[in-house]
Amino acid sequence: MEVINTLGRRKTSVARVYLKDGKGNITINKRDYKEFFPVPTLQAKVMQAFDLTETTGKYDLTINVAGGGINGQAEAVRLGISRALVKIDPEYKPVLKAEGLMTRDPRMVERKKPGQPKARKQFQFSKR
């Protein structure tokens, strides 16, 4: 099996996922994923696609992730992994889609507008 290359994004995070047959090693930015994401909830997000498709331990992953915070990076990795699994076997798609793992979350930080202190907050209004 050749290496499967996919992309996952969330907020400003971008994760490039390279999946190949193996023993279940997950390397993120040249570090083990448990070291990269020390929080158990983030580790669970990374493994969620494998748990749903029952493919834990079948594939080796090399992931490059950049931008954003750790939560956005974990969700970007999750989307990249889900897309890679669907490339391998399209039958995984309904299972992953039901859990919302095939959808790119479009929510981004709203930009600050001129004449306002923040995106929606406005300077105090004085009627007189």
Side-chain angles (χ1 to χ4, degrees):
M1 175 186 150
E2 77 286 349
V3 176
I4 290 177
N5 178 14
T6 56
L7 192 73
R9 289 194 184 102
R10 172 72 171 98
K11 291 189 180 181
T12 56
S13 301
V14 180
R16 288 186 292 281
V17 178
Y18 304 94
L19 184 137
K20 62 181 185 229
D21 281 327
K23 298 185 176 93
N25 299 324
I26 301 176
T27 310
I28 302 176
N29 291 358
K30 298 180 181 173
R31 290 159 52 195
D32 185 60
Y33 84 101
K34 289 186 177 177
E35 184 188 330
F36 192 83
F37 294 122
V39 185
T41 53
L42 298 178
Q43 293 173 12
K45 280 185 182 181
V46 170
M47 296 304 292
Q48 189 177 0
F50 291 119
D51 295 339
L52 290 169
T53 57
E54 297 168 6
T55 53
T56 309
K58 286 187 179 179
Y59 304 106
D60 282 350
L61 290 162
T62 306
I63 302 166
N64 294 324
V65 66
I70 55 169
N71 192 65
Q73 288 185 345
E75 291 185 17
V77 166
R78 179 174 71 179
L79 177 61
I81 291 170
S82 301
R83 286 177 171 174
L85 289 172
V86 169
K87 269 191 181 179
I88 289 171
D89 189 355
E91 290 180 16
Y92 293 146
K93 190 166 184 173
V95 178
L96 294 169
K97 193 166 183 164
E99 290 293 317
L101 299 190
M102 293 304 298
T103 309
R104 166 30 169 132
D105 193 339
R107 294 176 294 172
M108 303 279 280
V109 175
E110 193 172 330
R111 77 176 203 84
K112 182 198 169 298
K113 281 85 173 184
Q116 295 176 197
K118 291 164 69 175
R120 300 213 175 174
K121 187 178 184 181
Q122 297 186 335
F123 290 117
Q124 186 168 340
F125 175 73
S126 172
K127 198 166 191 177
R128 285 180 192 88

